[in-house]
Amino acid sequence: MYGKNIETLKKENMNLADKIYIFDTTLRDGEQTPGVALTVDEKIQIAQKLDSLGVDKIEAGFPAASNGEFEAASEIKSLDLDSTIVGLARSIKSDIDTVLDADLEYIHTFIGTSPLHRDYKLKMSKETIISTAVDAVEYAKDHGLAVEFSAEDATRTEREFLFDIFDAVIDAGADFIDIPDTVGVLTPIITKELITDIKSYFKAPVSVHFHNDFGLATANTLTAIECGANQTHVTVNGMGERTGNTSLEEIVVALYAAYGIDLNIDTSQLYSLSEFVGRLTGVKMPVNKPIVGDNAFAHESGIHVHGILNNSSTYEPISPELVGHSRKIVLGKHTGANALKSKLNDYHIDLDDDQFEKVYSQIKALGDRGKCVTDDDLKAIALTELGSARETPIKLKGLGLLSGAIVSPTATVKLEIDGVEKETSKTGVGPVDAAINAIRELIEGTMNIELEEYNLEAINGGTDALADVFVISSDDKGNKSTGRAINDDIVMASILAVLDSINKLLLIQRSNK
Ligand code: KIV
Ligand code: ZN
């Protein structure tokens, strides 16, 4: 918890409700995400996970919308979960009947209230809308349902009319009134004014249902709760119509981290739930999605990693374990030596100073070329360095390649051999072959080599993967040697691997003399 003590804040600025309910609508509004459709079985699995997480209410669907929606709602209800199972219904009897037929005990009924909805969608007068809502609430109450009433598009509804309809449905027995920001037009300041006004007038519990069109759903919801809202509708990963709804993981963690409010949610399940929902819906979270994105606890910069390694709170607002996520140290051009050392330690790879410097400069060079170095890349680079020739009498000083459909592949190679630079150009069946032919010619006076084995692998797959080349070369004296190199360019990796093996052969020959 940061900033002021919660009790001081409560006294000074806030009107926090004693209990804040989490109403999850992933299975209803979340499923309205364009392109998403869940099977009954998938909905059941998500409902079970939401229940185990500890949400108070699960909106299982819109039973009147289809047989599948009906089946999912009634099957989820039959699981007898701890969470209350809710069904959505328009304010019409036939919809309410399907909620009753699904054996649900809690209904979320709604009708549009804004001028736009009245005039262009419902074509109803204000009076008719109020009487329709009241009839629906009375009918649902008469049939034993707990009732939550939503004034759809409440935030673009005239304040007076909004109060009139809420007054009427509360008189009719509504247990909760809900304020949908249907097209996400609220800002925190407007939310504060609206919720403060509503809370000072109505005694009934107030819920909010905020959409994220301007990226403000979480901020607005937090403000609503600070002003006394008793409940918020949320979805896993912030899924929902257009840009979605208030995200479950964001609001739960923000309330906990900022104010220490514990909603009885098992936050350690948030990351796995997000992954699960992402997999079932096919909607992957962007890497920078708060709380559950791949980068939520990832660090690359040297300064940040240094801080994190000393005390993770320096650059993390919460620990990844709180939400079941994990910390990631990413290697790239911002990587500092401390981060690299810590990674190598994790993999028990011991490098001397010289080897470390070489690995470090390779990582930086790859970063400068726009590559992000994965843990597998690092292991391969470090292990290759460990196995590389200790001395390099032959060094690559330059490489030029010419390749294409209408020219013979040609390589120009410049080597420094025992301090003397030499250069030549050769052709071959491909650029790798041409370069190796050029090397053979350049070292002819020094040694003759045969390439016995050439093996190329891509680390981590993908077209931008690092190439890992392993070769075995032999000389005309019967010596054999391996060579290995890793590079983001296949030809370069091949040449460096061949030179590595040649250097080793040369060292063997010289030590035999
Ligand atoms: O956003 C909205 O207005 C809704 C209603 C059905 C409550 O989802
Ligand atoms: Zn909605």
Side-chain angles (χ1 to χ4, degrees):
M1 199 198 312
Y2 310 109
K4 282 189 178 177
N5 167 286
I6 185 70
E7 294 310 323
T8 319
L9 273 172
K10 270 191 205 169
K11 271 191 228 128
E12 285 178 1
N13 304 306
M14 291 204 266
N15 180 28
L16 279 179
D18 291 336
K19 159 99 185 130
I20 297 155
Y21 293 87
I22 294 292
F23 176 119
D24 184 276
T25 179
T26 307
L27 301 179
R28 199 278 297 171
D29 219 341
E31 207 209 7
Q32 286 172 224
T33 302
V36 169
L38 295 164
T39 64
V40 172
D41 192 48
E42 288 169 336
K43 283 192 159 200
I44 290 173
Q45 292 182 56
I46 294 175
Q48 284 169 323
K49 288 190 185 296
L50 286 167
D51 179 61
S52 137
L53 190 79
V55 303
D56 299 289
K57 301 173 194 176
I58 298 173
E59 189 165 45
F62 186 178
S66 73
N67 290 340
E69 283 287 286
F70 177 82
E71 202 189 321
S74 62
E75 288 211 19
I76 290 170
K77 179 65 179 53
S78 73
L79 297 173
D80 206 16
L81 302 175
D82 287 336
S83 312
T84 301
I85 308 304
V86 184
L88 181 75
R90 287 167 296 180
S91 292
I92 51 179
K93 285 201 173 76
S94 55
D95 274 22
I96 300 169
D97 286 337
T98 56
V99 172
L100 290 164
D101 292 344
D103 204 23
L104 306 184
E105 286 152 12
Y106 193 116
I107 193 167
H108 171 207
T109 186
F110 70 98
I111 192 163
T113 53
S114 67
L116 284 161
H117 281 239
R118 293 194 312 258
D119 298 343
Y120 294 98
K121 190 179 87 172
L122 300 168
K123 301 194 190 327
M124 282 183 183
S125 67
K126 287 179 178 171
E127 295 68 30
T128 313
I129 285 173
I130 292 189
S131 65
T132 306
V134 166
D135 288 349
V137 172
E138 281 176 349
Y139 184 75
K141 288 303 292 179
D142 287 347
H143 288 79
L145 293 169
V147 178
E148 181 164 331
F149 173 79
S150 274
E152 191 185 15
D153 208 12
T155 54
R156 292 191 298 176
T157 300
E158 305 90 331
R159 187 71 55 92
E160 203 186 328
F161 180 54
L162 189 62
F163 274 44
D164 285 348
I165 194 161
F166 280 153
D167 255 338
V169 293
I170 290 169
D171 277 352
D175 301 284
F176 251 97
I177 50 170
D178 179 57
I179 303 153
D181 185 22
T182 303
V183 292
V185 293
L186 285 179
T187 66
I189 290 279
I190 302 173
T191 305
K192 183 173 179 184
E193 191 279 321
L194 174 66
I195 304 298
T196 306
D197 197 16
I198 289 182
K199 281 300 295 182
S200 64
Y201 182 82
F202 294 102
K203 294 280 162 289
V206 171
S207 170
V208 294
H209 173 109
F210 291 168
H211 278 271
N212 198 32
D213 294 70
F214 300 155
L216 292 171
T218 300
N220 294 334
T221 301
L222 196 61
T223 306
I225 290 172
E226 288 163 352
C227 296
N230 307 79
Q231 170 175 279
T232 174
H233 289 197
V234 294
T235 58
V236 175
N237 292 341
M239 298 195 41
E241 292 272 9
R242 304 180 308 284
T243 54
N245 293 56
T246 302
S247 129
L248 163 70
E249 52 282 355
E250 287 174 23
I251 196 71
V252 166
V253 172
L255 284 169
Y256 180 72
Y259 305 132
I261 296 174
D262 186 351
L263 298 167
N264 278 329
I265 298 284
D266 179 359
T267 55
S268 70
Q269 297 184 34
L270 286 172
Y271 178 65
S272 60
L273 177 63
S274 156
E275 289 254 280
F276 186 73
V277 170
R279 209 159 356 104
L280 290 193
T281 57
V283 180
K284 258 195 76 71
M285 287 301 94
V287 291
N288 61 343
K289 169 77 173 65
I291 315 297
V292 293
D294 270 4
N295 285 355
F297 302 94
H299 312 275
E300 177 185 321
S301 128
I303 298 167
H304 282 212
V305 172
H306 189 204
I308 285 285
L309 293 173
N310 289 336
N311 179 339
S312 59
S313 299
T314 48
Y315 288 103
E316 283 174 355
I318 55 165
S319 78
E321 292 79 27
L322 178 73
V323 295
H325 207 331
S326 54
R327 180 171 303 120
K328 204 163 68 176
I329 308 283
V330 180
L331 300 175
K333 65 178 168 186
H334 301 114
T335 297
N338 282 309
L340 185 55
K341 278 185 187 144
S342 136
K343 277 263 173 189
L344 292 169
N345 263 345
D346 290 349
Y347 295 121
H348 308 287
I349 300 176
D350 254 339
L351 301 179
D352 64 26
D353 290 351
D354 193 42
Q355 290 165 332
F356 180 82
E357 275 315 313
K358 284 187 184 145
V359 171
Y360 192 31
S361 59
Q362 257 197 82
I363 304 286
K364 291 259 180 197
L366 286 166
D368 278 337
R369 295 206 288 275
K371 294 247 178 324
C372 212
V373 181
T374 66
D375 285 13
D376 285 345
D377 294 335
L378 170 67
K379 271 190 272 178
I381 291 170
L383 291 173
T384 301
E385 192 50 52
L386 266 182
S388 299
R390 291 262 164 237
E391 289 167 45
T392 50
I394 303 179
K395 296 184 179 69
L396 181 67
K397 286 292 174 183
L399 172 70
L401 293 170
L402 192 65
S403 178
I406 50 160
V407 289
S408 304
T410 309
T412 302
V413 177
K414 188 196 271 190
L415 295 182
E416 182 191 294
I417 304 173
D418 290 323
V420 180
E421 283 193 3
K422 289 183 173 180
E423 182 178 315
T424 191
S425 297
K426 294 299 273 185
T427 56
V429 290
V432 173
D433 189 50
I436 291 172
N437 288 340
I439 293 174
R440 267 209 191 91
E441 183 176 291
L442 289 172
I443 62 168
E444 214 163 26
T446 317
M447 66 192 304
N448 293 318
I449 58 139
E450 219 36 73
L451 195 57
E452 305 221 343
E453 207 175 307
Y454 172 89
N455 201 310
L456 165 69
E457 265 178 45
I459 307 169
N460 285 327
T463 49
D464 70 340
L466 294 187
D468 180 356
V469 175
F470 174 78
V471 298
I472 300 179
S473 310
S474 60
D475 62 14
D476 47 10
K477 299 184 176 57
N479 299 312
K480 278 193 187 192
S481 166
T482 60
R484 180 165 221 144
I486 289 169
N487 200 279
D488 52 345
D489 181 282
I490 293 175
V491 182
M492 191 55 115
S494 306
I495 293 170
L496 292 175
V498 169
L499 286 178
D500 184 39
S501 72
I502 293 174
N503 274 318
K504 285 181 191 162
L505 279 176
L506 205 57
L507 295 175
I508 295 170
Q509 285 184 7
R510 288 178 181 175
S511 68
N512 286 345
K513 274 188 185 156

